[in-house]
Structure formats: C-alpha cells, structure tokens
Amino acid sequence: MTIVKRKRPEGTRSWRGYVVAVDERGTWVFTPAGSTHTGTDRSGLTSTCEVAQDDQGRGRHSIVLLPHAAWFVAHWVLDSEYVVHVDIATPPARSGAVWSFDDLELDPLLLQDGSFVVDDEDEFAAACADGRISGTEREAALLAVEALRIEFVSGALVTDGRDHLRASAARPLARL
C-alpha cells in the first residue's frame, strides 16, 4: 500500500506500508523501520530518506490511521518524542493500492507528558488567507482539531494506535 500526502499548492510526500488492520476507525498501515519516504517540493526537487527518522537520521517503526471519513491522518512512531502526531487533512481516499490526502497544515500532537499542542497554526492561517484552504475545509479542519482534543483525553484512540504499532513492530515484516 502506498500513502501519498499532497502539499498545497505543490509537493508530495509518499511512503509504503503494510495494511495490518481495518476496523471501525479506518485502515491501519504499518511501515517498518528502515523503509523509505520520498518527497518532492514545489520546485520539483525530489529527496528520499528513511520514514520516521530519529535525531540520528535512523528510521523507526511507524503506523498511520487512515480514517474512513474523518479530516485527519494520525501517526504513531515507536520511541518517539510524542505519543501521536496528526496531520489535519482532507479525508483520505483510496484508489487501488494508493491512499492519498491533502495536508491542511494544522498538526495536533499529543506529547509524552500528556499535553496537547497544535503546530503550524501560522501556516494554516496563511493558507486560508490565500485560498489554498477553502472556507469549508477551514471549518472541517478546526472541528477535527477539537474532536481530536476530546478523543485524546478519553485515550481510546491513543491506546488503539499504540497497540497496533507494538503488535506490528513485533512481526517480521520486510522494510519497504
């Protein structure tokens, strides 16, 4: 399975993973440590690195939740500085073996100390102001942030993500 994250107005990030579960929340895709991530910026420059790199540039096991119809994609990374990182995004869409979504700039994070923060609010405001994010998308994005804040307090989504990540990391899956 390939996941494609589109940046507006141009640019993409893509990586591959194994579908390890499909449940009431959505599709869970695991990417083993050492797998590659390719990005193309708005100038057309392409670069490749390992997925979910640590401070030393080493890739780590990661899992993403691609929800059935929600305005986000959630990422868990083994031994990360955060519990879960979320891209507020258009609802992920599948076409064959590819899942894709448009990044809407806001990045909620649940930190290890339990605090909830939202990164890139300035980028979100600029994208709304210049029309890269529509009014409808803006409202959906803000509602998604608040829904995640509530969801993270209950802990069920956080626990599901950690459980899927740990179980998948224990499986002998080849890097991609």
Side-chain angles (χ1 to χ4, degrees):
M1 179 69 55
T2 299
I3 300 171
V4 177
K5 173 181 175 178
R6 291 183 299 261
K7 299 289 283 179
R8 295 178 181 175
E10 296 175 28
T12 61
R13 308 283 182 264
S14 63
W15 65 98
R16 295 174 43 217
Y18 298 96
V19 174
V20 294
V22 177
D23 61 19
E24 69 281 354
R25 292 190 187 281
T27 300
W28 298 85
V29 180
F30 174 73
T31 302
S35 298
T36 58
H37 167 280
T38 301
T40 303
D41 66 21
R42 60 181 68 150
S43 70
L45 181 65
T46 298
S47 62
T48 300
C49 63
E50 289 188 23
V51 172
Q53 290 183 336
D54 63 14
D55 292 342
Q56 308 304 311
R58 293 182 301 255
R60 298 173 284 184
H61 294 304
S62 65
I63 197 162
V64 297
L65 169 62
L66 300 156
H68 293 299
W71 287 72
F72 70 88
V73 174
H75 309 255
W76 286 259
V77 176
L78 199 63
D79 300 324
S80 176
E81 61 280 5
Y82 53 82
V83 176
V84 59
H85 166 267
V86 179
D87 282 315
I88 298 299
T90 57
R94 182 178 177 183
S95 177
V98 176
W99 280 93
S100 60
F101 60 93
D102 286 6
D103 182 7
L104 297 179
E105 302 301 344
L106 291 174
D107 295 323
L109 299 149
L110 181 63
L111 304 179
Q112 293 292 349
D113 68 3
S115 57
F116 180 88
V117 298
V118 180
D119 278 347
D120 298 334
E121 290 175 301
D122 55 338
E123 293 176 20
F124 176 73
C128 291
D130 70 16
R132 286 179 285 146
I133 294 175
S134 72
T136 301
E137 290 170 329
R138 178 187 177 280
E139 291 305 314
L142 294 172
L143 288 171
V145 169
E146 289 313 308
L148 286 163
R149 185 185 313 271
I150 293 165
E151 181 79 37
F152 288 172
V153 168
S154 79
L157 175 61
V158 173
T159 300
D160 287 352
R162 283 180 168 164
D163 290 349
H164 282 298
L165 177 58
R166 288 183 184 130
S168 298
R171 296 173 61 189
L173 297 170
R175 65 179 144 184
L176 300 167

